[in-house]
Amino acid sequence: MGAVRRFAGPIDLHTHSSVSDGTETPGRLVRAAAVAGIRTVAITDHDSTAGWPEATRVAHEIGITLIPGMEFSTRVEHSSVHLLAYLFDPANAAIVAETGRIRQARLVRAEQMVHRIGADYALTWDDVMAQTSDGATVGRPHIADALVARGHALTRSEAFAGILHWSAGYFQPHYAPSPLHAVRLVRAAGGVPVLAHPATRGVGELVSESRLAELVDAGLFGLELDHRENKADARARLATLAEKYHLAVTGSSDYHGSGKPNRLGENTTAPEVLEAIIEQATGAEPVYPG
Ligand code: AMP
Ligand code: FE
Ligand code: FE
Ligand code: ZN
């Protein structure tokens, strides 16, 4: 059991650094959170814990609480489903192997997408690598940045709405485990899993109640319902299911630096919810100030 403390001030449990598709280094990200008035911030890069050491150093230095975390890529048929994972053991062999496999699959998939885009637009793999930090989890945002640098789009969002949208014909999915497998991996590594932005696709395309019940049985802790991309109808439906299955509800920004309009602290999580996460976690400790 983790050591639980009382939390004061805003808690933001979902942010990205340049270790994945955020635009700030882990250290800059933690500083930006402090400047924004956040007192507790989680770093949750896609499929990587590589930002934890630097974020930890800076959190100590400036006196902010850090919750080490990750956003696990999972997949249900052709849809990607994101799972936030908090305070798991970053050296857990099964997690290290699975995230390594996902990052490799993302790399191959990005190269294939760039190859296909390159047939119609001036764009090379070097353009994408120029937008990607060493060892970062590669995603469409890096391709978007390369498209912007080449003048094929004005912003990341425009690239996502156009060339990178599945309807443009260049999109390709990548390998990812099922949400059920990921929930089990996270719990087995002492972590606490929360479904990220589970209502982005509207009520018609929700994870079914039976699937959700299966995730709850496997140890799902909560649903990130307070997130700008969740749709109102699906969110209301999931709020009802959260009560029925005793799931916690979290809120966060999903900050990506200048890569997305999401601002730090635009949604936050209640202190009691974070305290319950810490109580259940056995894989890693929060980094407390002082
Ligand atoms: P991928 O996992 O490579 O398919 O890319 C999806 C990632 O792109 C998500 O994690 C989002 O953070 C990011 N993303 C999705 N839509 C947008 C957008 N409109 N603008 C900027 N980033 C986006
Ligand atoms: Fe992202
Ligand atoms: Fe996500
Ligand atoms: Zn995210």
Side-chain angles (χ1 to χ4, degrees), residues 14 16 46 71 82 196-197 254:
H14 186 168
H16 295 266
H46 298 285
E71 191 174 11
H82 288 172
H197 44 74
D254 204 356

Side-chain angles (χ1 to χ4, degrees), residues 21 46 82 106 109 139-141 156-157 160 171 256 259-260:
D21 54 1
H46 298 285
H82 288 172
R106 283 176 155 284
R109 168 263 201 161
R140 279 182 292 160
R156 259 191 195 185
S157 294
F160 266 91
F171 177 81
H256 283 67
K260 267 187 148 181

Side-chain angles (χ1 to χ4, degrees), residues 199-250:
T200 49
R201 277 181 273 263
V203 78
E205 294 164 79
L206 274 185
V207 174
S208 67
E209 183 170 348
S210 60
R211 274 255 169 80
L212 187 68
E214 214 174 36
L215 297 181
V216 172
D217 282 345
L220 184 68
F221 172 80
L223 302 176
E224 187 191 47
L225 292 188
D226 296 324
H227 183 290
R228 68 155 69 202
E229 284 154 48
N230 283 333
K231 306 264 196 306
D233 59 347
R235 181 165 145 169
R237 172 89 181 109
L238 284 177
T240 307
L241 291 176
E243 271 190 38
K244 179 169 171 184
Y245 290 96
H246 308 291
L247 287 164
V249 170
T250 69

Side-chain angles (χ1 to χ4, degrees), residues 7 24 51 67 73 90 133 180 184 189-190 234 253 255 259 261 263 272 275 289:
F7 288 87
E24 289 158 349
I67 306 295
S73 298
S133 305
L180 185 60
R184 288 181 175 144
S253 65
Y255 177 74
R263 293 300 91 194
E272 315 80 76
E275 285 156 18

Side-chain angles (χ1 to χ4, degrees), residues 110 113-132 139-166 168 170-171:
M113 281 185 66
V114 168
H115 185 74
R116 280 151 62 167
I117 295 169
D120 295 334
Y121 297 87
L123 184 76
T124 65
W125 184 243
D126 281 348
D127 293 337
V128 177
M129 285 297 95
Q131 302 296 331
T132 309
R140 279 182 292 160
H142 303 98
I143 305 176
D145 290 347
L147 288 167
V148 170
R150 280 281 194 172
H152 302 309
L154 279 177
T155 61
R156 259 191 195 185
S157 294
E158 193 183 297
F160 266 91
I163 298 170
L164 295 174
H165 194 260
W166 63 266
Y170 305 110
F171 177 81

